[in-house]
């Protein structure tokens, strides 16, 4: 016994056929438009995110300055910072800000340093301690990952909407099909089901 095979016909919604309905052609155009919009939105969102990350990193770099501070306590035997991958410890330091005032705060410094030693810390415009600005490779990594995530989210949102529109079209198509079957069945006065 020969096995029946069903071959897939590519691009069937675009070809002229007496079996193709108007809603099939509309769906083909909706899918094409949805993919194009998803691609454009993904590229625009990705580029916008890359620009935002680069601007924020450059702004942080412009506002930050490295200053010399004096360690106000020993760091010998102190536990590392709160981040497991960071070997530095928290200690109280004192420095002079750009306005000439003396500031005191906690900063992450190298372990095993004695009180009174000079350490380098990063401060912002107002003289508060801040984190070290991102390096060039860190900026590249952050902007690439942020741009990729933004592009995927934007494209995913458009494709999710496209899926919802296709589901509505499918329900409408099934309702039309049911109405046509009902009309064909009752035309001769009998029902098939």
């Amino acid at each position: 016994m020969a096995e029946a095979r069903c071959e897939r016909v590519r691009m069937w919604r675009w070809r002229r056929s007496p079996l193709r309905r108007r809603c099939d052609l509309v769906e083909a155009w909706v899918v094409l438009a949805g993919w194009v919009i998803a691609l454009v939105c993904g590229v625009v969102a990705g580029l916008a995110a890359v620009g935002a990350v680069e601007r924020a990193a450059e702004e942080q770099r412009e506002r930050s300055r490295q200053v010399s501070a004096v360690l106000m306590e020993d760091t010998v035997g102190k536990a590392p910072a709160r981040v497991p991958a960071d070997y530095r410890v928290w200690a109280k330091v004192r420095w002079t800000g750009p306005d000439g005032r003396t500031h005191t705060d906690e900063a992450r410094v190298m372990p095993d340093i004695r009180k009174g030693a000079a350490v380098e810390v990063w401060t912002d415009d107002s003289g508060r301690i801040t984190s070290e600005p991102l390096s060039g490779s860190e900026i590249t990594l952050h902007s690439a990952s942020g741009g990729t995530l933004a592009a995927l989210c934007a494209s995913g949102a458009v494709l999710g909407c496209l899926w919802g529109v296709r589901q509505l079209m499918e329900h409408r198509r099934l309702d039309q099909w049911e109405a046509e079957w009902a009309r064909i069945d009752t035309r001769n006065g009998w029902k098939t089901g």
Side-chain angles (χ1 to χ4, degrees), residues 84-175:
D86 193 358
Y87 56 88
R88 296 177 292 177
V89 297
W90 287 98
K92 196 169 266 202
V93 295
R94 183 181 66 235
W95 72 97
T96 303
D99 56 0
R101 292 186 358 208
T102 302
H103 300 274
T104 305
D105 200 358
E106 282 196 342
R108 291 187 307 181
V109 297
M110 301 296 284
D112 301 328
I113 300 176
R114 297 278 178 205
K115 179 180 178 179
V119 293
E120 297 294 322
V121 295
W122 286 91
T123 62
D124 60 12
D125 294 346
S126 59
R128 290 184 303 242
I129 287 192
T130 186
S131 59
E132 183 178 347
L134 297 175
S135 67
S137 59
E138 290 173 327
I139 291 172
T140 302
L141 176 66
H142 283 248
S143 60
S145 58
T148 302
L149 183 62
L152 290 174
C153 287
S155 296
V158 172
L159 293 176
C161 291
L162 174 64
W163 179 81
V165 168
R166 286 192 70 196
Q167 291 300 312
L168 290 173
M169 293 176 79
E170 182 68 21
H171 284 292
R172 185 165 183 255
R173 186 174 19 251
L174 290 175
D175 289 343

